[in-house]
Amino acid sequence: MNNKSKYTAAAAQLGPIDPSEPKESVVARMLNLLIEAKTKGTELVVFPELCLTTFFPRYYITDPANLDTYYESEVPISLMSDMFELVRKEKIIISFGYAERDNGIPFNTSVYVDSSGNIVGKYRKIHLPGHYEYEPDRPFQHLEKRYFTKGNLGFPTFDTTLGRLGMCICNDRRWPETYRVLALQGCEVVTLGYNTPKHYPLAPEHDHLQEFHNHLCMQAAAYANGMWVIASAKAGLEDNCELIGGSCIISPRGEIVAEANTTMDELVVAQIDLNECTLIRENIFDFNFDIYIPLYIYIYYIFFY
Ligand code: ING
């Protein structure tokens, strides 16, 4: 596989998706961002978590038929045919998140589509935030624990022409373990999407820190693991719920090298150099020598059991 170490990548941020907006309309917006990416010579494009619909865990949905409209039993290739065609024609790798039903089991999922137009990677969200039961005191719900099953694919990495890629989804990005497990497998670029409300009902004191916490966890992880992080938000005022933007591309040095300026549909573009990963991993955090896994296992054991 002729790996490229230097190429252009993008976070394709989406603005609000109204509950009434058809998936076809959202896909047309995604296609516009992909066309813009093509014109800018971009080879890796990252779309947000659950990017085909409004962030439906915000609602307590009792009608199973209505809830089912948010899920896909297969990757919606026919719905996204124009995007897949462009991916094949322009040799672009994309990732996007959607709600998956696998033999009826619901997952918060993301996939990679490579330049052949094939699905070459899948990840299912492991860290599911929020709650299971309807909580009337909340201004909006966050029912991911109700609507999704904990991911059962681990944190896999995928060898592509653009390096060894790995995915996580939204709340996963707040947990250092996510990145370390990927880094120990040689992951060079982590791609992720998120839907993050500005208001966190259980800790409103943190509301003014949401944008800071968003970047803090990813910048620290990028540096500590010598990885690129490409993070794509679903942003803006979505059915009266404010979602933070801040889509960005973070280098293994921990620097934000590109960031969204709006909370609307916006392509955030930067040059990726995979050699930056090696610089960190060989000189700062020497994974070959300094990592002591048995100690970590012992610490987890005494802490958790
Ligand atoms: N959303 C939020 C996230 O992790 C959240 C949930 C917000 C958790 C703020 C903690 C603090 O960004 C999703 N979809 O995980």
Side-chain angles (χ1 to χ4, degrees):
M1 186 179 288
N2 62 326
N3 265 2
K4 276 191 139 181
S5 61
K6 295 182 182 179
Y7 55 88
T8 304
Q13 173 177 289
L14 285 174
I17 299 176
D18 188 85
S20 64
E21 183 170 1
K23 292 176 187 175
E24 292 73 10
S25 166
V26 177
V27 169
R29 291 166 52 186
M30 294 171 69
L31 180 63
N32 283 338
L33 288 167
L34 197 55
I35 290 167
E36 180 186 350
K38 174 188 76 93
T39 61
K40 294 177 175 174
T42 310
E43 299 186 57
L44 175 60
V45 181
V46 179
F47 290 98
E49 168 194 33
L50 296 175
C51 68
L52 300 176
T53 69
T54 197
F55 185 69
F56 68 92
R58 174 183 317 122
Y59 308 105
Y60 180 56
I61 302 170
T62 54
D63 172 9
N66 178 14
L67 182 59
D68 220 42
T69 62
Y70 291 100
Y71 293 87
E72 311 291 335
S73 51
E74 301 290 338
V75 174
I77 294 175
S78 56
L79 174 72
M80 305 174 79
S81 57
D82 291 344
M83 289 181 66
F84 276 62
E85 182 53 39
L86 192 57
V87 157
R88 271 191 295 274
K89 183 163 165 281
E90 301 299 331
K91 304 295 177 215
I92 298 172
I93 294 179
I94 66 171
S95 74
F96 63 89
Y98 67 98
E100 175 193 18
R101 270 208 199 284
D102 179 15
N103 292 316
I105 303 173
F107 293 102
N108 186 337
T109 297
S110 63
V111 291
Y112 282 130
V113 183
D114 79 353
S115 49
S116 65
N118 296 322
I119 310 297
V120 295
K122 177 180 278 189
Y123 167 73
R124 290 165 172 166
K125 187 173 182 178
I126 286 173
H127 297 93
L128 295 172
H131 47 106
Y132 185 88
E133 299 297 345
Y134 175 64
E135 294 185 8
D137 296 342
R138 286 177 180 250
F140 48 85
Q141 304 299 300
H142 198 119
L143 290 161
E144 291 196 59
K145 285 186 169 69
R146 185 181 190 87
Y147 295 148
F148 300 118
T149 309
K150 187 178 279 287
N152 59 358
L153 302 176
F155 287 107
T157 58
F158 308 96
D159 284 327
T160 74
T161 53
L162 300 179
R164 184 165 291 180
L165 309 183
M167 283 181 271
C168 69
I169 299 175
C170 204
N171 198 254
D172 291 324
R173 80 188 187 286
R174 298 178 189 274
W175 298 76
E177 294 86 345
T178 299
Y179 305 90
R180 184 50 53 91
V181 168
L182 288 168
L184 289 173
Q185 299 173 76
C187 181
E188 297 166 296
V189 184
V190 178
T191 64
L192 67 96
Y194 58 91
N195 289 257
T196 300
K198 176 75 175 177
H199 174 56
Y200 191 71
L202 302 182
E205 306 82 357
H206 294 178
D207 286 3
H208 70 287
L209 296 171
Q210 287 302 349
E211 288 84 355
F212 168 64
H213 287 160
N214 177 40
H215 288 157
L216 175 67
C217 51
M218 296 189 289
Q219 285 181 262
Y223 172 61
N225 293 284
M227 292 192 292
W228 287 89
V229 175
I230 304 175
S232 183
K234 170 100 85 44
L237 192 62
E238 189 171 86
D239 198 18
N240 209 30
C241 175
E242 188 186 349
L243 299 174
I244 68 168
S247 301
C248 59
I249 298 177
I250 300 170
S251 81
R253 299 185 300 275
E255 290 173 305
I256 295 176
V257 296
E259 183 178 353
N261 298 308
T262 72
T263 54
M264 303 183 315
D265 295 7
E266 181 180 346
L267 197 75
V268 181
V269 183
Q271 295 305 311
I272 296 280
D273 180 355
L274 300 182
N275 298 308
E276 292 277 359
C277 304
T278 311
L279 207 59
I280 291 283
R281 286 181 180 172
E282 285 182 355
N283 304 310
I284 313 294
F285 301 104
D286 182 350
F287 273 35
N288 297 318
F289 180 74
D290 297 344
I291 295 277
Y292 191 58
I293 292 174
L295 175 62
Y296 296 155
I297 292 169
Y298 174 68
I299 291 168
Y300 266 92
Y301 182 79
I302 58 174
F303 186 73
F304 283 110
Y305 297 98

